[in-house]
Amino acid sequence: MCLAIPARITKIKGPVAEVDVGGNMKEINIMLTPEARVGDYVLLHAGYAIQVIDEKSAEEIFDAWEEAYEALQ
Amino acid sequence: MKHSNKKEYARFLLDRLHQEIERPLTVMEVCGTHTVAIARSGLRDLLPDKMRLLSGPGCPVCVTDDLDLDQVMALARERAVVLATFGDMMRVPGTESSLLQEKSRGADVRIVYSPADALQLAAENPDAQVVFLGVGFETTVPVVAAALEQAVQKGLKNFSVYSLHKLVPPIMRVLLEDPEVKIDAFLNPGHVCTILGTEPFRFISGEYGKPCVVAGFDATDILEALLLIVRQYREGRPAVEIQYRRAVRPEGNPVAMGFIEKYFTPVDARWRGIGEVPGSGLELREEYARYNARVRFPVTARPGERKKRCACGEVLKGLKLPYECPLFGKVCNPVKPVGPCMVSTEGSCAAYYRYGRQKAGVCR
């Protein structure tokens, strides 16, 4: 239930941001990470960014997810 | 790290573990995502014999008490509300029914991905009363608190939260105090610590002298964390360490913690199979009572009878492995689950059922 996935912010409009999650665009809320800027990577949980992370971390977390996803196929 | 390099690195970490472990160590993870990652990777079969990995009460769905769920069912059944919930909760049995069964009998239960979806539902349906069922640990609570903040800002009068939220540090203390449960170290839940940081877990090393390491969700993350635990024992310096630096800072996310503090206050809470734990739940603060579904839509469900033979409680405390429950795989399976540990994909029983005790894994 505490799953969180990396997303890259492409647009910010108030508390709402548009993000790229592995190629899919999605609207999320960034109230919990007010320091987030366009281009930043965030960890996304249940529609809200819960932490700003760096690009390398985002890639590593995403790769681990892809492996987990493959294993489930 | 590329997949092949990762395999080599996992082998290296396993070798180190086999060489460096000096004494038997029982390590408990308190996170459903770790439960699944460990079961999927087959790590248990590759670890040194001296190391035992237990799954603790780390799945919020699994620790939700059946009597609490009876109240939620009564709310969905008796009051004219739209109950919005994460999908994981639909099939979790109370003593007599589940939300899925209530829905099939006419209750208005909707699955949402985010509390923001429940907010939108309320905004679009001003004549309906939307109740969001708040289930989850400290990772999820700030998200629900942020939704409450939005409801307050928008002046939404038809949105409320039924909080069954639970806190991780108090249940870890219960496990450390239980004379039957013998744990030498914890793998701390990664994303709970993204919010809380390390300070709330300091008592584990400070008062109990046990290591805890915040671990990521990859097999190599878990192996690295286990090696840190072995080394803490070797060096006699129990501490709270972070292996999952990609997502966890020592200070956590102070903004998110501020939101929790603003909207919620700790209360005693029932944990399935474990019982009432002081200060381990969260209720909305009194000043936000108009957003508290328990206050706005009171119900009193007739207390049902708990299922006696289901060993969920012992499984959640690490006293029994899932297949030691008399119901496991027979009357209780993912298609017709008896206890929540078999319902949630992150439950210990479901993970054991799905991945079995196979030798294969990412490492060999």
Side-chain angles (χ1 to χ4, degrees):
Chain A
M1 176 169 263
C2 295
L3 294 180
I5 50 167
R8 191 174 59 87
I9 297 180
T10 54
K11 239 186 244 170
I12 293 180
K13 225 172 155 189
V16 177
E18 196 181 278
V19 291
D20 179 337
V21 191
N24 298 311
M25 304 312 278
K26 212 176 144 39
E27 268 198 1
I28 67 160
N29 184 297
I30 53 168
M31 281 165 78
L32 302 173
T33 54
E35 72 276 29
R37 298 286 172 263
V38 170
D40 282 352
Y41 285 82
V42 291
L43 259 188
L44 175 61
H45 171 71
Y48 290 70
I50 57 167
Q51 189 65 283
V52 177
I53 54 176
D54 63 44
E55 185 176 352
K56 187 168 168 282
S57 298
E59 278 170 11
E60 285 177 4
I61 296 172
F62 202 81
D63 286 350
W65 275 116
E66 281 199 321
E67 274 173 37
Y69 185 74
E70 275 169 31
L72 286 173
Q73 296 306 295
Chain B
M1 201 183 294
K2 289 270 181 292
H3 199 63
S4 55
N5 294 345
K6 209 177 243 179
K7 260 190 189 171
E8 268 170 43
Y9 186 51
R11 244 180 237 131
F12 166 79
L13 288 168
L14 272 167
D15 284 348
R16 294 307 324 155
L17 271 173
H18 278 269
Q19 281 172 30
E20 292 188 27
I21 192 164
E22 285 178 336
R23 46 159 286 177
L25 287 177
T26 299
V27 181
M28 179 179 268
E29 41 81 5
V30 198
C31 169
T33 317
H34 281 150
T35 306
V36 174
I38 290 166
R40 194 189 70 222
S41 62
L43 272 187
R44 274 194 183 83
D45 295 329
L46 306 172
L47 292 173
D49 291 339
K50 281 182 180 159
M51 183 164 265
R52 216 156 68 98
L53 279 189
L54 294 179
S55 295
C59 153
V61 172
C62 306
V63 300
T64 302
D65 192 83
D66 33 6
L67 300 186
D68 285 337
L69 278 174
D70 284 352
Q71 299 293 326
V72 176
M73 250 67 94
L75 171 69
R77 196 168 50 228
E78 293 168 19
R79 311 294 302 237
V81 299
V82 177
L83 187 77
T85 174
F86 292 132
D88 316 36
M89 292 304 295
M90 288 300 281
R91 293 169 63 226
V92 183
T95 61
E96 281 170 11
S97 166
S98 68
L99 285 173
L100 191 64
Q101 281 170 297
E102 295 300 333
K103 187 177 168 71
S104 70
R105 290 175 197 145
D108 196 344
V109 184
R110 317 262 183 111
I111 295 175
V112 292
Y113 157 74
S114 163
D117 300 338
L119 271 182
Q120 198 179 343
L121 208 55
E124 289 170 359
N125 300 279
D127 296 331
Q129 282 294 340
V130 176
V131 176
F132 179 74
L133 179 57
V135 173
F137 295 143
E138 290 91 334
T139 317
T140 312
V141 184
V143 164
V144 177
L148 282 164
E149 173 96 350
Q150 290 169 278
V152 172
Q153 283 172 357
K154 287 181 183 159
L156 277 184
K157 292 191 168 50
N158 62 333
F159 174 81
S160 57
V161 171
Y162 193 101
S163 172
L164 291 175
H165 288 299
K166 302 226 168 15
L167 302 171
V168 173
I171 199 67
M172 292 171 87
R173 188 183 282 280
V174 166
L175 293 168
L176 288 164
E177 288 286 340
D178 190 325
E180 277 188 285
V181 182
K182 293 182 175 65
I183 300 163
D184 299 306
F186 283 105
L187 284 180
N188 272 22
H191 294 139
V192 165
C193 295
T194 297
I195 304 296
L196 292 185
T198 50
E199 195 51 43
F201 300 94
R202 193 76 60 198
F203 72 94
I204 296 172
S205 54
E207 291 176 42
Y208 296 91
K210 315 252 165 152
C212 54
V213 176
V214 186
F217 300 100
D218 192 70
T220 52
D221 287 335
I222 291 163
L223 288 170
E224 268 187 16
L226 292 173
L227 192 56
L228 289 172
I229 287 170
V230 165
R231 288 179 178 169
Q232 283 193 30
Y233 264 101
R234 273 173 69 121
E235 292 157 19
R237 45 156 196 99
V240 190
E241 268 187 285
I242 303 173
Q243 180 278 332
Y244 192 35
R245 291 189 181 278
R246 298 193 287 274
V248 179
R249 298 177 193 146
E251 71 278 16
N253 178 340
V255 174
M257 280 191 275
F259 271 105
I260 299 181
E261 174 74 23
K262 181 173 177 185
Y263 286 96
F264 290 96
T265 185
V267 288
D268 301 348
R270 285 188 290 228
W271 292 63
R272 184 151 185 146
I274 295 176
E276 188 153 294
V277 179
S280 68
L282 287 173
E283 182 58 290
L284 268 84
R285 287 189 179 278
E286 252 180 65
E287 54 265 48
Y288 297 106
R290 63 191 184 284
Y291 296 98
N292 186 341
R294 248 194 217 92
V295 175
R296 291 189 58 180
F297 311 106
V299 286
T300 325
R302 189 169 43 84
E305 269 195 46
R306 293 176 199 270
K307 294 182 182 66
K308 291 198 184 80
R309 289 174 63 222
C310 170
C312 260
E314 287 144 298
V315 170
L316 288 170
K317 291 201 311 193
L319 292 172
K320 268 190 183 162
L321 292 169
Y323 51 79
E324 289 169 343
C325 172
L327 308 186
F328 181 81
K330 298 173 192 128
V331 263
C332 183
N333 56 60
V335 178
K336 205 166 184 314
V338 175
C341 302
M342 188 61 94
V343 177
S344 169
T345 47
E346 292 195 349
S348 305
C349 296
Y352 268 73
Y353 190 93
R354 175 162 192 155
Y355 299 107
R357 300 265 302 150
Q358 82 274 38
K359 283 270 176 193
V362 293
C363 306
R364 277 183 188 168

